[in-house]
Amino acid sequence: MPLVRIDLADSRPADLRRAIADGVHDALVAVVGIPAGDRFQLLTAHPAGELVFDADYLGVRRMDVVYVQITLVAGRPRPLKVELFRRIAANLAAVGVRPEDVHVTLTENTVEDWSVGNGEAQLLALGPVAGTAG
Amino acid sequence: MPLVRIDLADSRPADLRRAIADGVHDALVAVVGIPAGDRFQLLTAHPAGELVFDADYLGVRRMDVVYVQITLVAGRPRPLKVELFRRIAANLAAVGVRPEDVHVTLTENTVEDWSVGNGEAQLLALGPVAGTAG
Amino acid sequence: MPLVRIDLADSRPADLRRAIADGVHDALVAVVGIPAGDRFQLLTAHPAGELVFDADYLGVRRMDVVYVQITLVAGRPRPLKVELFRRIAANLAAVGVRPEDVHVTLTENTVEDWSVGNGEAQLLALGPVAGTAG
């Protein structure tokens, strides 16, 4: 049920793009505990100039940022989010993305805000959401 | 005032893309009760490989997902959201999109989070938002 | 820390796109008080037909909408948001964008929802967020 938007430079080759998408998903499965099948991702490859970022804000030396914006159901505790950030950066480092270049943002909604097909609101009947106390 | 992002495969022809956008908007008008003129939509057509999804998560057989992400003012009750999902899928089925392939996510904000032009925050003066008890 | 998505027509030339991005950022710095280095922006240039909007909803005569969607930490008071909308439209007018064509949406999250690199959740240690009472 997370929806993951990944925006990156079109100079990154297609197989790397896929490895990045895999790395983000694997982190969500490992840290948040979502099912492996709960994968919904949108990649957008941008030409030079469309991705703007500061080269050293907060002392992080950025060269080629990968933006990861994750929409997910609210309720994951702070330590889990902190670990999710760490794991995403680690997984992306394993495929060759500098950790400095990994930018992650979370936006939360609720179980009634999702339809993963067939016009149904599947999360209303699913029970507790992975990674929450519920 | 909803802002609607629609991400779909670039293999879907331009007239179908427009019909999909129409179908989503018509559902918002019919179910949520927004004015017909309250239409703000962003389509992005993605090359193969940029839209990632599981082929049968929760038993839904997906082949070519259309992602619909709607940002809207909070306050719409759950039954209205459930009906909105149903109607979007029905409208898109009417133009040839498999219901299994319709993925919808809602993200909420407030009336003070919108400017629909001229640098003004129009919703602050509009009165109750369609579809809410307010 | 705001994440800024700007979606506009690909008929707008590259130097104007950059000027628009600058104008949005300058408004955030001037009105919200974020550091100049806190700049993270995603531009997407859309071909004709991908940006859909009503030509006069709420009496605003739109011709070529620039969509600005800003994700930011919650807590900015309403008057600051109102001034932000005003300033963005003014800055964009200064580079040739009709104020009627400037559409802005805000979506809020929290300090635990950001990693600006290195897999760290930097905002947890930063202290009060600019523009909030905190």
Side-chain angles (χ1 to χ4, degrees), chain B residues 7-21:
Chain B
D7 290 80
L8 39 65
D10 62 5
S11 56
R12 297 196 185 265
D15 58 343
L16 176 57
R17 296 178 202 175
R18 182 67 186 209
I20 289 170

Side-chain angles (χ1 to χ4, degrees), chain C residues 34-79:
Chain C
I34 65 167
D38 187 1
R39 180 168 184 170
F40 299 101
Q41 300 179 308
L42 289 170
L43 279 70
T44 307
H46 293 260
E50 284 198 356
L51 299 178
V52 183
F53 53 85
D54 191 79
D56 59 11
Y57 180 59
L58 299 184
V60 179
R61 304 304 302 256
R62 297 174 195 85
M63 296 178 61
D64 187 10
V65 170
V66 174
Y67 283 105
V68 180
Q69 189 166 24
I70 303 174
T71 303
L72 76 174
V73 170
R76 276 70 183 224
R78 179 176 292 189

Side-chain angles (χ1 to χ4, degrees), chain A residues 5-12 17 20 43-55 62-69 101-103, chain C residues 3-6 14 17-18 21-22 39-45:
Chain A
R5 288 188 182 271
I6 298 172
D7 290 78
L8 39 65
D10 62 6
S11 57
R12 297 196 185 265
R17 296 178 202 175
I20 289 170
L43 279 70
T44 306
H46 293 260
E50 284 197 356
L51 299 179
V52 183
F53 53 86
D54 191 79
R62 297 173 195 85
M63 296 178 62
D64 187 10
V65 170
V66 174
Y67 283 104
V68 180
Q69 189 167 23
D101 286 334
V102 180
H103 185 287
Chain C
L3 179 67
V4 176
R5 288 187 182 271
I6 299 172
R17 296 179 202 174
R18 182 68 187 210
D22 289 345
R39 180 168 184 170
F40 299 101
Q41 300 179 308
L42 289 170
L43 279 70
T44 307

Side-chain angles (χ1 to χ4, degrees), chain B residues 41 43 109 112-113 116 118, chain C residues 50 52 62 78 81 99 106:
Chain B
Q41 300 179 309
L43 279 70
N109 61 9
E112 66 190 39
D113 295 321
V116 300
N118 279 330
Chain C
E50 284 198 356
V52 183
R62 297 174 195 85
R78 179 176 292 189
K81 293 179 178 179
L106 309 180

Side-chain angles (χ1 to χ4, degrees), chain A residues 41 43 109 112-113 116 118, chain B residues 50 52 62 78 81 99 106:
Chain A
Q41 299 179 308
L43 279 70
N109 61 9
E112 65 189 39
D113 294 322
V116 300
N118 280 329
Chain B
E50 285 198 356
V52 183
R62 297 173 195 85
R78 180 176 291 189
K81 293 179 177 180
L106 309 181

Side-chain angles (χ1 to χ4, degrees), chain B residues 1-3 5 8 17-18 21-22 34-46 71 107-124 126, chain C residues 5-8 44 46 49-54 56-62 65 67-69 76-78 81-82 85-87 89 99-108:
Chain B
M1 146 279 308
L3 178 67
R5 288 187 182 272
L8 39 65
R17 296 178 202 175
R18 182 67 186 209
D22 288 346
I34 64 168
D38 188 0
R39 181 168 183 171
F40 300 101
Q41 300 179 309
L42 289 170
L43 279 70
T44 307
H46 293 260
T71 303
T107 306
E108 297 184 332
N109 61 9
T110 76
V111 288
E112 66 190 39
D113 295 321
W114 296 84
S115 175
V116 300
N118 279 330
E120 298 167 10
Q122 286 90 351
L123 299 200
L124 294 180
L126 260 194
Chain C
R5 288 187 182 271
I6 299 172
D7 291 79
L8 39 64
T44 307
H46 293 260
E50 284 198 356
L51 299 178
V52 183
F53 53 85
D54 191 79
D56 59 11
Y57 180 59
L58 299 184
V60 179
R61 304 304 302 256
R62 297 174 195 85
V65 170
Y67 283 105
V68 180
Q69 189 166 24
R76 276 70 183 224
R78 179 176 292 189
K81 293 179 178 179
V82 169
F85 297 142
R86 199 198 60 73
R87 187 71 70 102
E100 294 89 340
D101 286 333
V102 180
H103 185 287
V104 186
T105 317
L106 309 180
T107 306
E108 297 185 332

